[in-house]
Amino acid sequence: MIFEYAPAPESRSVVTLRESYGLFIDGEFTPAESGEHLTSLNPADETKLAQVAVAGPADVDRAVAAARRAHDTVWSRMSGAERGKYLFRIARIIQERSRELAVLESLDNGKPIKETRDVDLPLVAAHFFYYAGWADKLAHAGLGPAPRSLGVAAQVIPWNFPLLMLAWKIAPALATGNTVVLKPAETTPLTALVFAEICQEADLPPGVVNILTGEGGTGRTLVEHPDVDKVAFTGSTEVGRQIARAVAGTDKRLTLELGGKGANIVYDDAAIDQAVEGIVSGIFFNQGHVCCAGSRLLVQESIVDELMPRLKERVAKLRLGDPLDKNTDIGAINSAAQLERIRDLVDSGEAEGAERWSPACDLPENGYWFAPTIFTGVGQAHRVAREEIFGPVLSVLTFRTPEEAVGKANNTPYGLSAGVWTEKGSRMLWTAERLRAGVVWSNTFNKFDPTSPFGGYKESGYGREGGRHGLEAYVG
Amino acid sequence: MPVPHTASAPEATTDRALRTFLHGLPGVDEVGARARAQDLSTRSIKTTAKAQAIDLAISMIDLTTLEGADTPGKVRSLCTKAALPDPSDRTVPGVGAVCVYPDMVPTAVEALRGTGIGVASVATAFPAGRAPLSVKIADTAAAVADGASEIDMVIDRGAFLAGDYLKVHEEIVAVKEACGDAHLKVILETGELVTYDNVRRASHLAMRAGADFIKTSTGKISPAATPPVVLVMLEAVRDHFAETGRRVGVKPAGGIRTTKDAIRNLVLVNETAGPAWLTPDLFRIGASSLLNDLLMQRTRLTTGTYPGPDYYTLD
């Protein structure tokens, strides 16, 4: 019999959106001096959610000045225990408002509510709790007897995990006594603005956190601002390069967390059903909008005929549709521009001779959607094997020996993540030792924890976020 | 779907061949299996889907009483309930079967005559299975002779854990023969097998020996039918079908008490073995108190009110 799951939409009534939002500077919402604004859309149906201000140079000046004042007069002078109290308070408010934030994140980003509810929001709160705990223990972090804050941190974050990336940036900065000016991505500014409200609710001293919405130009002005001490960026390798050039020759400290083309290596003795799950979550989690996605599947040739039918059968069961439906596995692509980029790369894959497959899958009429896609017969030279697609597109390559697996996995300008699937401990260790990637997952994929450092090799960036290592980027 | 790992099933059943086959099955990663089961447990089944699932679950129940204190009176009243779970609502389907000890089979058969509901009997020195094979066969044959249409046997877990797979296999084959036309459910007692690797191996062993159903537990050992165990068994029947073309059923038993538990099991079936298994012929739930919870949720869906437990018969 056919067991059809009836629609199970999460209510959007928990979210109250204002028609328009100003910039959050010095503890207050204020209009942009230029009066410019942009509109944030719901990518699932292209409806307008809210207008947000576009910060210009004058606004960046105001925000950096506010952050400087807050740093010099209040935040860096406050005891770690006191700073910790604010961070704990923020973490608790996030938990209390997690349903609202999860729904808003799904609306603004297009990712399924299942993920915002069960992954994003619990991790956001966990990050604040974790770094709140460090605030009064910095002398014991192995960073010298009295680590000192750097000053004002300019932070620019991407649209794939809007609130989680905010947490990765703001929590360690605040715990170490820095103040921040943060620019959320232009397509996903809304949860950052609710976070600004949470800072008010937590009575965070004005100027400690400033949120400037805007486009690429706002971000550029911010990271180039002369009174910024530290720049932290997560996003594309291309923009990362521009930032590195802009910061070169200044005293600014820089961390970059950029793109990836993660290899997911499946050996012939892997626990095959769990490996299939790991391949699916590795590339289809968050529509593949994950810098550490396992976008290159490397399968040992001897099991490829066994694995691929199982993988396809499993992918055919993924439920694509309304991000607010609790049973949705795959939501919307975040923007028209990203959808265009995915289409372009997928077309190139076909043109270059790889075999494209997608399950039968009805795409909604409005909004930005892309069916889960698998390329087989992919060679190392194909664009779909080399370039970051940042979408629900998996490229399958094969290997014969462990040496070949490692060689292919490392043969990329990136080095952010990798996964290894084998039931043999010695082979797991042998492989992990040789992979040049910041994170190597053993018989799992896309697992995150605030205690665990995260970052890349080569063009995936430098510096580490998360864990004790994450403190290092914010102390001098 | 080609499945070379399991397709190499040996022709002759020798101890060595069985061992090679079972130890050649792909491993189960415990963390991953738990995570998948947990992920599927978050499916939200509402309104029409919930109504469909509740009726399906009721029709899949093996309504069970397996107490030393069972009496003919208790079994008769359970049978009445099995045929007509909610006297105030005749649209409620009957359950899948009534499950009793062998000595209660005549009573149950008599009470269920004309209802179309079968009698399942545990046998083979249930629940421990610690008896000579001749006794197990006699136990089975007696239940079948008294009219049981389904036999729930237990495997020799001691032999399985000692690696004596041939003994386990031969016992299942012998009991299957004693069953005649009766369907054979093979209880693995997964709580005593402990690892998911063992669950997968025991599942394949039972299926190769001729089981019509593989069943998680006796209900006497905890943990019983946990979601990851059911998941691993559903993967096994799916793979066995791919290899042989024969569909073997699955019966979780023990610890499934609420509508939510039952629906989670149906979601596991739907998304693991597939919709073909969503029938009482291929999926049963061994339970007793579950039925009343399903009836309460059913009334709540159809009338909008949630009656108290006193409005439902105890048995």
Side-chain angles (χ1 to χ4, degrees):
Chain A
M1 71 175 277
I2 302 300
F3 184 21
E4 279 290 351
Y5 303 162
E10 178 68 63
S11 166
R12 38 184 301 177
S13 65
V14 282
V15 171
T16 314
L17 277 176
R18 292 185 234 161
E19 210 159 281
S20 80
Y21 287 85
L23 309 168
F24 185 68
I25 298 175
D26 213 8
E28 299 289 342
F29 283 96
T30 126
E33 295 210 355
S34 68
E36 273 183 65
H37 60 78
L38 57 84
T39 302
S40 196
L41 298 179
N42 178 348
D45 58 11
E46 297 170 72
T47 54
K48 291 177 181 171
L49 291 172
Q51 279 190 354
V52 299
V54 174
D59 306 306
V60 173
D61 277 343
R62 278 197 293 150
V64 172
R68 170 66 56 199
R69 194 166 52 246
H71 175 266
D72 292 352
T73 62
V74 185
W75 196 247
S76 69
R77 297 176 171 211
M78 192 182 278
S79 73
E82 282 300 309
R83 286 199 306 270
K85 280 188 201 168
Y86 284 104
L87 289 170
F88 278 121
R89 199 178 296 161
I90 288 170
R92 282 195 299 270
I93 298 173
I94 288 169
Q95 283 187 319
E96 281 160 17
R97 296 178 66 171
S98 64
R99 188 144 162 237
E100 169 195 356
L101 288 163
V103 171
L104 180 56
E105 195 81 308
S106 282
L107 285 171
D108 204 18
N109 173 281
K111 63 170 75 188
I113 185 75
K114 178 173 104 169
E115 289 177 11
T116 52
R117 178 195 66 198
D118 296 344
V119 182
D120 294 58
L121 263 296
L123 278 172
V124 169
H127 248 86
F128 277 98
F129 277 117
Y130 176 76
Y131 281 109
W134 270 119
D136 62 351
K137 302 172 193 71
L138 297 174
H140 310 284
L143 304 168
R148 288 215 311 231
S149 60
L150 299 172
V152 176
Q155 306 179 319
V156 179
I157 58 171
W159 46 261
N160 59 340
F161 293 94
L163 197 59
L164 183 58
M165 291 302 104
L166 174 150
W168 281 28
K169 295 279 180 285
I170 291 185
L174 261 49
T176 44
N178 301 276
T179 55
V180 307
V181 181
L182 177 130
K183 191 198 90 71
E186 64 181 273
T187 59
T188 56
L190 300 180
T191 44
L193 294 165
V194 173
F195 179 80
E197 291 174 6
I198 289 173
C199 292
Q200 288 179 323
E201 200 180 332
D203 279 327
L204 192 71
V208 172
V209 168
N210 304 274
I211 311 271
L212 297 182
T213 48
E215 297 163 327
T218 306
R220 194 173 312 120
T221 313
L222 174 60
V223 300
E224 289 177 2
H225 196 282
D227 200 29
V228 158
D229 301 294
K230 153 85 192 171
V231 174
F233 171 75
T234 296
S236 72
T237 295
E238 190 191 329
V239 176
R241 275 207 196 91
Q242 293 169 15
I243 291 176
R245 271 196 290 270
V247 167
T250 70
D251 288 342
K252 292 173 193 171
R253 296 262 296 264
L254 177 64
T255 42
L256 296 172
E257 201 265 272
L258 308 174
K261 193 71 190 175
N264 208 354
I265 300 172
V266 181
Y267 283 114
D268 60 3
D269 68 333
I272 197 154
D273 289 304
Q274 287 71 48
V276 166
E277 289 307 316
I279 295 164
V280 168
S281 81
I283 185 61
F284 299 120
F285 173 65
N286 202 30
Q287 296 74 246
H289 299 331
V290 184
C291 46
C292 52
S295 49
R296 285 183 302 152
L297 172 63
L298 295 174
V299 190
Q300 195 149 17
E301 236 175 70
S302 53
I303 56 160
V304 76
D305 290 341
E306 179 182 2
L307 182 87
M308 290 311 297
R310 287 171 184 256
L311 177 61
K312 287 179 176 177
E313 195 184 8
R314 174 69 178 87
V315 171
K317 290 200 176 97
L318 290 170
R319 307 170 63 87
L320 177 144
D322 179 7
L324 284 187
D325 191 302
K326 293 175 210 163
N327 293 324
T328 292
D329 298 316
I330 307 243
I333 302 301
N334 179 250
S335 65
Q338 186 57 28
L339 182 59
E340 203 40 54
R341 181 176 161 72
I342 296 168
R343 283 182 176 151
D344 172 55
L345 274 160
V346 165
D347 289 347
S348 85
E350 271 188 301
E352 290 176 8
E355 194 183 321
R356 174 181 176 176
W357 176 89
S358 287
C361 180
D362 291 333
L363 301 183
E365 266 180 37
N366 297 320
Y368 317 127
W369 301 91
F370 200 85
T373 299
I374 297 178
F375 274 110
T376 49
V378 177
Q380 287 279 94
H382 288 150
R383 279 182 74 198
V384 290
R386 305 200 62 77
E387 295 182 30
E388 182 175 42
I389 300 174
F390 224 63
V393 182
L394 178 69
S395 300
V396 183
L397 299 99
T398 59
F399 67 89
R400 291 158 299 175
T401 63
E403 286 78 6
E404 188 183 350
V406 169
K408 282 185 167 167
N410 287 339
N411 182 207
T412 164
Y414 295 110
L416 194 54
S417 75
V420 184
W421 298 82
T422 171
E423 290 289 272
K424 195 173 232 173
S426 57
R427 184 174 294 148
M428 177 66 75
L429 295 172
W430 184 93
T431 309
E433 230 169 36
R434 284 159 181 79
L435 288 171
R436 284 183 292 156
V439 186
V440 178
W441 280 295
S442 156
N443 289 329
T444 187
F445 213 95
N446 275 340
K447 283 276 175 289
F448 304 98
D449 191 279
T451 62
S452 173
F454 184 92
Y457 278 47
K458 302 187 281 184
E459 286 190 19
S460 290
Y462 39 83
R464 293 291 177 262
E465 293 183 295
R468 190 186 61 79
H469 305 71
L471 297 166
E472 216 172 305
Y474 289 96
V475 295
Chain B
M1 186 172 70
V3 190
H5 267 302
T6 50
S8 55
E11 287 300 313
T13 301
T14 63
D15 191 46
R16 177 185 290 270
L18 270 179
R19 169 175 301 271
T20 306
F21 166 61
L22 296 175
H23 287 245
L25 292 167
V28 184
D29 183 78
E30 296 213 15
V31 176
R34 285 205 192 98
R36 175 64 179 151
Q38 168 60 30
D39 184 41
L40 285 176
S41 78
T42 66
R43 290 286 190 225
S44 180
I45 305 301
K46 302 286 184 207
T47 59
T48 51
K50 187 172 181 182
Q52 185 190 8
I54 287 174
D55 279 7
L56 185 58
I58 292 172
S59 73
M60 287 172 163
I61 289 182
D62 276 3
L63 196 60
T64 302
T65 183
L66 294 170
E67 303 294 335
D70 284 345
T71 59
K74 156 112 185 182
V75 169
R76 272 194 292 271
S77 73
L78 198 72
C79 290
T80 312
K81 176 144 185 163
L84 192 57
D86 186 349
S88 64
D89 183 352
R90 294 188 173 256
T91 63
V92 177
V95 303
V98 168
C99 184
V100 292
Y101 269 115
D103 62 326
M104 289 295 167
V105 169
T107 310
V109 167
E110 178 58 34
L112 287 169
R113 198 176 302 282
T115 63
I117 294 170
V119 175
S121 172
V122 297
T124 70
F126 180 95
R130 294 255 71 89
L133 181 58
S134 57
V135 175
K136 294 182 183 180
I137 291 171
D139 198 15
T140 305
V144 173
D146 283 339
S149 53
E150 302 174 9
I151 295 295
D152 290 23
M153 74 168 285
V154 290
I155 65 164
D156 184 340
R157 285 86 77 188
F160 182 90
L161 290 169
D164 194 351
Y165 303 128
L166 187 60
K167 181 170 186 219
V168 180
H169 188 273
E170 284 173 344
E171 279 199 2
I172 298 171
V173 170
V175 173
K176 170 78 181 164
E177 203 185 316
C179 280
D181 290 336
H183 270 226
L184 177 64
K185 306 194 197 103
V186 177
I187 302 172
L188 310 179
E189 195 65 304
T190 54
E192 290 184 346
L193 302 183
V194 182
T195 68
Y196 299 131
D197 285 331
N198 277 345
V199 173
R200 171 167 285 178
R201 287 173 185 165
S203 297
H204 281 279
L205 180 59
M207 290 188 290
R208 277 178 48 78
D212 298 302
F213 259 78
I214 49 176
K215 175 175 168 184
T216 60
S217 325
T218 60
K220 307 292 183 193
I221 294 283
S222 184
T226 64
V229 159
V230 179
L231 174 76
V232 169
M233 289 170 64
L234 286 164
E235 288 168 354
V237 297
R238 175 199 66 192
D239 292 349
H240 187 77
F241 173 69
E243 178 202 329
T244 66
R246 184 171 80 98
R247 286 198 173 93
V248 174
V250 176
K251 177 179 170 185
I256 300 170
R257 295 190 185 87
T258 65
T259 301
K260 203 172 244 180
D261 294 337
I263 291 178
R264 281 176 179 167
N265 271 281
L266 296 184
V267 167
L268 280 173
V269 175
N270 194 37
E271 300 202 31
T272 309
W277 266 263
L278 285 173
T279 151
D281 293 337
L282 288 170
F283 197 74
R284 293 282 180 85
I285 301 170
S288 35
S289 60
L290 169 66
L291 179 55
N292 272 0
D293 195 66
L294 286 165
L295 293 174
M296 273 193 268
Q297 289 291 340
R298 195 180 190 278
T299 310
R300 160 112 172 67
L301 268 184
T302 49
T303 67
T305 57
Y306 193 88
D310 289 347
Y311 291 84
Y312 299 90
T313 55
L314 280 178
D315 50 39

